Amino acid sequence: MMTSTFTRCRGALSLSAVLLLVAGLAGLAGCATSAPPPPSKAELPFDQAVAQATDGLVMQTPKQPALIARMSAKRGVVLDPMIDARSAQQTVATQQLQERVSERIGSKHESMEILPFHRANLAKARYLLTGTMTRLSVEQARSPLRIDLALTELASGMVVAQSSVVARDDGLDHTPLPYYQDTPVPLKDPIIESYVRTTATPAGQRADPYYLERIAVAPVIKDATTHYNAERYQDALTQYNSAAGGTASDAQLRVLNGIYLSSAKLGRTAEAEQAFGRIVAYGIAQQQLGVKFLFNPGGTAFWSDAKVSGPYPMWLREIAKASAGANVCMDIVGHTSRTGPAAFNDTLSVQRARYIRQRLIGEAMELSDRTKTSGKGFRENIIGSGTDDAVDALDRRVEFRIVGCG
């Protein structure tokens, strides 16, 4: 390819230009990465913050000599969908973030090209782009958001650029996408935590290996989730089952949730129950399982809409069966959203935990000696919005924490 380039250009280039070109190629591998600009502490409007973060990211990548840049193909970038770092969810706002970043790269940085996040493009692309949005305070409604972006060189596993900015929450929509609204269990497992660490890794350091070692299956999970959000549940199930290959130790919670959700949507009750059992087993192995049991406001009765609470008896049955079979002890912890007085919510969260414990004991009597209850009110909120809708559903959860049986 080098020979053909010089052949095409030899009539147009002087000897000195050719020598300069060769020198540029020789030094290309050693091009220094530009120092990243210091993170802005000012709260910027969202669109301005995204533009600044994106430009700052691209500025740090190794630069090619102008002549070579004009003759070379664009540097390919694949984008692993961006997430809310606290909730591990994709939301309308995180989707808007990644769209704005992609648009900025496409319109302002012609040396780069965003490629579809497909498995084949992992071999073609030079960089992997990741991004997170993190609310700086869960105690303040509409508190500022920190946006983190990182570019990882796929060949070396090195983070070559990282940028962070603080953005105002200019009326952004934090509603989770359908898959994340429906999922019964919060998704912050080791792979998500590794993604978040990678996105915060300074330039010049290696990306988190746990994330990179599993990147090949990420496009399959992305496709499966896209199918689910579009209500193509059979396609989603096929893709999630494909992503579930491998050993149990490599299981990803978002895949197990996807198999359960897709099976349930398809009316495959037995398969859905089996899939939920795998979710519970995974949680017990991780020593913590959080489940989104939604209650009627101010009480201990499950949400009246059967479309929401209909699966709850099966969930309780599987949790009781798995915990009894594993011979574990559990602290059942209730949580509430940030609505109403703190003392009321502390009491309510304990009452809801006690109700769940009673239901579990009804399924497996041996759990009466191996379970206890506590309540956190809204002191351990993940979202903290107090909207009491799909946005803060994770705050209204019950956690099963594996504890010693002493």
Side-chain angles (χ1 to χ4, degrees):
M1 184 171 180
M2 186 67 68
T3 302
S4 62
T5 300
F6 277 111
T7 300
R8 288 195 304 270
C9 299
R10 63 186 177 185
L13 294 176
S14 66
L15 177 59
S16 59
V18 171
L19 290 174
L20 285 172
L21 179 59
V22 173
L25 286 168
L28 187 57
C31 283
T33 301
S34 301
S40 173
K41 295 182 179 179
E43 297 174 17
L44 302 174
F46 179 74
D47 285 344
Q48 183 181 340
V50 174
Q52 179 172 306
T54 307
D55 294 347
L57 192 76
V58 177
M59 283 172 53
Q60 298 169 51
T61 59
K63 300 298 186 293
Q64 295 177 335
L67 179 59
I68 298 176
R70 289 196 297 270
M71 297 168 57
S72 302
K74 293 184 178 182
R75 291 174 287 178
V77 180
V78 286
L79 190 160
D80 194 352
M82 298 179 182
I83 61 172
D84 182 294
R86 286 190 181 274
S87 67
Q89 298 180 135
Q90 294 173 36
T91 67
V92 176
T94 65
Q95 195 171 54
Q96 183 177 349
L97 169 63
Q98 69 187 42
E99 288 171 355
R100 292 285 194 277
V101 172
S102 298
E103 290 167 0
R104 184 74 178 182
I105 291 175
S107 63
K108 299 294 183 180
H109 303 286
E110 61 180 16
S111 65
M112 291 189 174
E113 178 184 14
I114 299 290
L115 303 175
F117 191 47
H118 297 156
R119 182 175 286 181
N121 284 336
L122 287 173
K124 299 177 183 178
R126 181 169 180 179
Y127 298 124
L128 170 66
L129 173 58
T130 54
T132 60
M133 175 184 291
T134 310
R135 188 170 297 285
L136 296 183
S137 172
V138 297
E139 298 178 357
Q140 174 188 348
R142 295 292 179 186
S143 76
L145 305 161
R146 190 182 74 246
I147 294 171
D148 289 297
L149 304 176
L151 274 178
T152 300
E153 189 175 54
L154 285 162
S156 67
M158 298 294 293
V159 175
V160 298
Q162 197 279 336
S163 63
S164 298
V165 296
V166 177
R168 294 200 297 265
D169 187 347
D170 297 328
L172 298 175
D173 184 351
H174 297 281
T175 303
L177 300 186
Y179 166 88
Y180 294 88
Q181 289 189 46
D182 294 347
T183 186
V185 174
L187 294 170
K188 206 163 189 180
D189 65 354
I191 190 70
I192 296 298
E193 292 173 345
S194 181
Y195 177 105
V196 173
R197 286 194 297 271
T198 292
T199 306
T201 297
Q205 297 184 19
R206 296 191 68 82
D208 194 290
Y210 192 89
Y211 168 61
L212 286 187
E213 288 165 3
R214 291 157 180 80
I215 191 63
V217 75
V220 182
I221 298 172
K222 186 272 295 182
D223 288 343
T225 306
T226 299
H227 287 313
Y228 184 90
N229 290 337
E231 301 183 2
R232 297 189 294 267
Y233 301 122
Q234 182 57 62
D235 291 334
L237 182 59
T238 299
Q239 293 288 74
Y240 282 126
N241 279 324
S242 173
T247 63
S249 61
D250 281 337
Q252 294 191 31
L253 190 52
R254 54 186 176 166
V255 174
L256 300 179
N257 272 292
I259 293 172
Y260 163 72
L261 291 172
S262 301
S263 298
K265 289 291 188 180
L266 291 168
R268 300 178 183 178
T269 306
E271 292 179 31
E273 184 162 353
Q274 183 182 31
F276 192 82
R278 292 178 63 192
I279 294 172
V280 175
Y282 180 92
I284 290 175
Q286 299 291 321
Q287 298 194 318
Q288 182 159 325
L289 174 70
V291 181
K292 293 190 298 186
F293 287 109
L294 300 187
F295 296 82
N296 284 330
T300 59
F302 285 143
W303 194 257
S304 300
D305 186 351
K307 292 181 181 179
V308 174
S309 59
Y312 291 1
M314 181 272 284
W315 293 4
L316 290 164
R317 184 167 63 248
E318 287 297 322
I319 293 169
K321 180 173 68 175
S323 54
N327 200 31
V328 297
C329 295
M330 297 188 301
D331 186 4
I332 303 170
V333 185
H335 298 267
T336 67
S337 61
R338 187 176 293 276
T339 304
F344 172 81
N345 281 283
D346 285 346
T347 301
L348 181 61
S349 62
V350 173
Q351 292 173 341
R352 288 174 172 176
R354 288 173 179 168
Y355 176 73
I356 293 294
R357 180 175 181 269
Q358 291 172 1
R359 294 288 298 263
L360 291 180
I361 293 172
E363 297 288 345
M365 279 298 299
E366 58 267 44
L367 294 180
S368 62
D369 296 327
R370 293 199 267 122
T371 55
K372 60 181 180 179
T373 60
S374 62
K376 298 296 183 180
F378 51 66
R379 284 171 286 139
E380 294 184 2
N381 274 184
I382 297 172
I383 307 298
S385 65
T387 51
D388 283 339
D389 55 17
V391 172
D392 69 346
L394 289 181
D395 292 339
R396 306 191 302 280
R397 68 194 184 282
V398 175
E399 291 181 342
F400 303 88
R401 300 175 181 175
I402 310 303
V403 296
C405 293

